[in-house]
Amino acid sequence: MTGFLVLARREIFAYLVTPPLWIVTGVFLLVNGMTLYQALIQTSGNVSATHAFLFGGFFFWFLVILLPAVFTSRLFALEKSSGTIETLMTSPVSDAAVVLAKFAAALALFALQFAPTILYYVLLQRSGGAPDRGPIAASYAGALGIGAMFTALGCLASSLATSQTIAFFAAAMGSAALLIGPVFATGVRSDAVLSVARYLNLMEHLDEFTRGVVDPRRFVVYASAAALFLFLTIRSIESRKWR
């Protein structure tokens, strides 16, 4: 546990002292602020509709795909390009602990991006009311669950890639496929395929969360996918020992 915490803190600190994190945070908050303003105009001040716009519009999904790819692209790819991967993997910490620590750090940074947006609801409350706390909490929980799945996928991409750029694009494209794939699959004329597509449709999941509907099966999907990606990441890292 000590090794896990040390590695996680190391990763978080490595991001906090670099300008890219603050640039990404600034862009994230700027885009979300503009989205909030546009949503208030388009919904004529309807707070519930504005909330759904914030947690389901194009910019939301764009950022949810982009952020995990940004935060995970360097996790293993940078270690390999800088030649420190061998030192890291021969340290007295298990491969699983290394992977989980890096994953936890990247997910914490993802959650950190969303933390300031809570102020939006404070402003909405003061300007005429905010949605019920249930839908707000459910939306943040859903975003975090989806973010965890995409972050785990990013860890896998970074462990397989030879550069940060390749890792970034692989993670972003993979996350986009997970998002869009089930949507296209709903057009297939097969009850079995349609049922699976709806079960995996992240857009439908988030629409439920914004209405305050929390189905535990949604989190089973996120946890199962994240566990699979992390398992494959550990196997990818372990395979280096046999090369």
Side-chain angles (χ1 to χ4, degrees), residues 162-206:
T162 55
S163 74
Q164 289 181 251
T165 302
I166 294 175
F168 169 80
F169 281 107
M173 295 301 293
S175 297
L178 289 176
L179 175 65
I180 299 174
V183 176
F184 283 111
T186 55
V188 177
R189 294 182 179 179
S190 168
D191 292 338
V193 173
L194 184 61
S195 177
V196 173
R198 286 179 174 173
Y199 183 71
L200 300 176
N201 192 324
L202 301 180
M203 293 185 182
E204 285 191 8
H205 293 188
L206 201 67

Side-chain angles (χ1 to χ4, degrees), residues 149-170:
M149 181 170 63
F150 289 172
T151 298
L153 176 58
C155 289
L156 176 60
S158 185
S159 72
L160 296 171
T162 55
S163 74
Q164 289 181 251
T165 302
I166 294 175
F168 169 80
F169 281 107

